[in-house]
């Protein structure tokens, strides 16, 4: 189908049709996709980072085998598989944070954020929720109000919770940054007036929680200044608020460490994870809360419910994926090499007159353009030509001047080089068109 054709039976509000696709994919292997015509594409987007282990049919086979004897489970029933997976997840989070905690499971990322906020409400009651400008935490009727874009809230049926958006934490482009670089302490000082002069309109109910991404994904792939973030976290704690870290995109070594909050040295109260936990095989998210935030006395049975919370296949997929991360050949070891390779091969792009800067954080690389050309560049790069594969990149409507690469973390060095070559060719074609 052509770029402008959308099937008459498909609701075009689906993100798939943000830019109507020109191809239909039929198979995949490693870091490559193939369409129905047999044309090849290198995937540097990895289902928004979910496919950390690439297209590995072995994970699917193993997960199916583990769930074969119990392919489905009635609602409100327990299984040994579920208990084992939750124990493994709880152990990972508790070791990373340094305190014990409990884990609950949900379906997608937005549902995980909603459950995290139920835990907040159970422990703090009402109160304002703080987020950052540029943040993204979902598009459900509740989570859309935590996300930055007003487009997400335009079609929502209710006004939502009390939310205060703190200044955009992009110290690299902030007009108030010191000439010497780094973060302006005055920005944190403004936040510290919360609860004193209420310059942001925080009501008397106080601050219930701060919800933060270790790296703003939809907001432009921005890494907050660590010092600034820690000062904000400390102040929110002084006001009695809980720290909720959204690791849905950043979890499982996407930024280098196992969890993105480790990059900043902060200790969350609640963590939400998803995406890479099943390597993109199925919907799954989990919420970890330090003791006693999710203890039965505080968060009793019936506080949340999901028909598929005990789905054996989803749990088997998580179990299989965690085996990969815990094995002797854990992909965690490849992330530093991937980051170094991305830095090396993409640094030359700053010589192009349409490229303002290149930034790399672990398995995420961002190419900042000199104008709002990201969607055009994505379309150009995705077209295979003359025996060359297409290249799948990421971009967001909130950051029209940035394209991102967050490929599978197992991407070999030679494919990273090919990605850089294809990207430079696409930028050259874009420059010629402009």
């Amino acid at each position: 189908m052509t770029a402008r054709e959308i099937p008459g039976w498909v609701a075009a509000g689906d993100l798939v049709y943000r830019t109507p696709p020109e191809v239909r994919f039929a198979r995949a292997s490693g870091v490559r996709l193939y369409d129905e015509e047999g044309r090849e594409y290198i995937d540097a987007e990895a289902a928004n980072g979910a496919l950390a282990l690439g297209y590995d049919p072995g994970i699917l086979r193993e997960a199916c085998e583990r769930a074969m004897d119990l392919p489905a489970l009635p609602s409100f029933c327990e299984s040994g598989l579920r208990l084992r997976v939750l124990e493994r997840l709880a152990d990972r989070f508790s070791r990373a944070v340094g305190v014990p905690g409990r884990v609950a499971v949900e379906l997608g990322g937005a549902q995980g954020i909603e459950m995290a906020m139920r835990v907040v409400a159970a422990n703090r009651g009402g109160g304002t929720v703080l987020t950052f400008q540029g943040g993204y935490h979902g598009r459900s009727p509740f989570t859309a109000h935590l996300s930055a874009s007003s487009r997400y809230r335009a079609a929502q049926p209710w006004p939502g919770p009390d939310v205060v958006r703190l200044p955009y934490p992009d110290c690299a482009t902030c007009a108030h940054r010191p000439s010497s670089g780094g973060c302006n302490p005055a920005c944190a000082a403004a936040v510290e007036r919360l609860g004193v002069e209420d310059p942001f309109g925080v009501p008397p109910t106080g601050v219930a929680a701060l919800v933060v991404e270790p790296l703003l994904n939809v907001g432009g792939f921005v890494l907050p200044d660590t010092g600034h973030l820690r000062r904000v976290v400390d102040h929110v704690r002084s006001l009695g608020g809980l720290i909720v870290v959204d690791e849905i995109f950043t979890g499982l070594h996407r930024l280098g460490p196992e969890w993105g909050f480790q990059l900043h040295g902060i200790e969350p109260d609640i963590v939400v994870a998803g995406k890479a936990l099943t390597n993109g095989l199925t919907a799954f998210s989990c919420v970890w809360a330090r003791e006693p935030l999710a203890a039965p006395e505080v968060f009793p049975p019936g506080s949340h419910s999901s028909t598929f919370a005990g789905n054996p296949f989803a749990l088997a997929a998580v179990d299989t994926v965690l085996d990969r991360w815990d094995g002797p050949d854990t992909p965690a070891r490849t992330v530093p090499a991937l980051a170094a390779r991305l830095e090396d091969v993409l640094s030359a792009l700053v010589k192009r007159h349409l490229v303002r800067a290149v930034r790399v954080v672990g398995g995420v690389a961002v190419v900042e353009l000199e104008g709002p050309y990201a969607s055009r560049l994505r379309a150009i790069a995705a077209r295979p030509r003359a025996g060359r594969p297409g290249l799948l990149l990421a971009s967001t409507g909130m950051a029209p001047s940035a394209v991102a690469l967050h490929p599978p973390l197992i991407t070999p060095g030679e494919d990273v080089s090919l990605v850089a070559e294809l990207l430079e060719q696409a930028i050259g074609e874009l420059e010629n068109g402009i």
Side-chain angles (χ1 to χ4, degrees), residues 4-314:
R4 296 188 181 277
E5 288 179 348
I6 298 175
W9 62 92
V10 174
D14 193 306
L15 282 177
V16 170
Y17 294 97
R18 184 181 69 185
T19 305
E22 298 179 350
V23 300
R24 299 178 183 179
F25 292 106
R27 62 187 181 91
S29 177
V31 299
R32 285 169 165 74
L33 287 159
Y34 301 87
D35 65 22
E36 292 178 340
E37 306 300 321
R39 293 172 296 193
E40 181 182 33
Y41 303 77
I42 292 185
D43 187 2
E45 194 269 350
N48 202 14
L51 295 161
L53 306 180
Y55 298 92
D56 183 352
I59 297 175
L60 176 60
R61 282 193 296 268
E62 290 182 40
C64 289
E65 289 173 1
R66 296 183 190 203
M68 194 69 70
D69 292 335
L70 190 68
L73 190 66
S75 299
F76 316 123
C77 293
E78 188 60 276
S79 70
L81 173 62
R82 199 179 90 99
L83 289 173
R84 180 172 73 248
V85 170
L86 266 62
E87 184 177 17
R88 297 184 73 177
L89 290 170
D91 181 62
R92 300 185 89 87
F93 290 114
S94 297
R95 280 189 286 110
V97 181
V99 298
R102 297 171 185 258
V103 169
V105 300
E106 254 292 357
L107 210 56
Q111 292 94 331
I113 294 293
E114 289 181 358
M115 182 161 61
M117 299 313 297
R118 289 193 190 99
V119 175
V120 170
N123 286 271
R124 293 294 186 268
T128 298
V129 179
L130 305 180
T131 65
F132 280 108
Q133 294 172 359
Y136 177 79
H137 305 288
R139 295 171 185 256
S140 70
F142 180 89
T143 59
H145 293 280
L146 302 180
S147 298
S149 176
S150 59
R151 291 187 298 111
Y152 306 153
R153 299 186 292 280
Q156 302 306 331
W158 68 304
D162 292 321
V163 177
V164 169
R165 290 177 177 82
L166 303 179
Y168 201 78
D170 185 0
C171 298
T173 61
C174 177
H176 305 292
R177 69 189 185 279
S179 58
S180 58
C183 178
N184 190 338
C187 296
V191 173
E192 287 168 3
R193 287 158 54 199
L194 276 171
V196 180
E197 301 176 22
D198 294 334
F200 297 103
V202 177
T205 50
V207 174
L210 167 70
V211 185
V212 62
E213 299 166 275
L215 177 140
L216 274 68
N217 180 4
V218 174
F221 315 99
V222 172
L223 184 71
D225 178 86
T226 291
H228 176 64
L229 181 58
R230 291 172 71 168
R231 287 191 290 268
V232 172
V233 165
D234 289 345
H235 184 60
V236 170
R237 284 200 191 284
S238 75
L239 298 177
L242 297 173
I243 308 303
V244 180
V245 179
D246 181 344
E247 292 275 3
I248 295 166
F249 172 72
T250 54
L252 282 183
H253 299 280
R254 175 51 63 183
L255 303 184
E258 183 173 29
W259 307 108
F261 64 79
Q262 294 172 300
L263 196 64
H264 298 292
I266 61 177
E267 296 180 357
D269 298 301
I270 301 170
V271 183
V272 185
K275 290 190 185 298
L277 286 173
T278 66
N279 200 49
L281 281 181
T282 186
F284 181 93
S285 63
C286 74
V287 175
W288 175 92
R290 67 168 68 214
E291 283 283 83
L293 297 178
E297 300 78 19
V298 183
F299 200 58
S303 296
H304 72 95
S305 175
S306 172
T307 300
F308 297 100
N311 179 264
F313 174 71

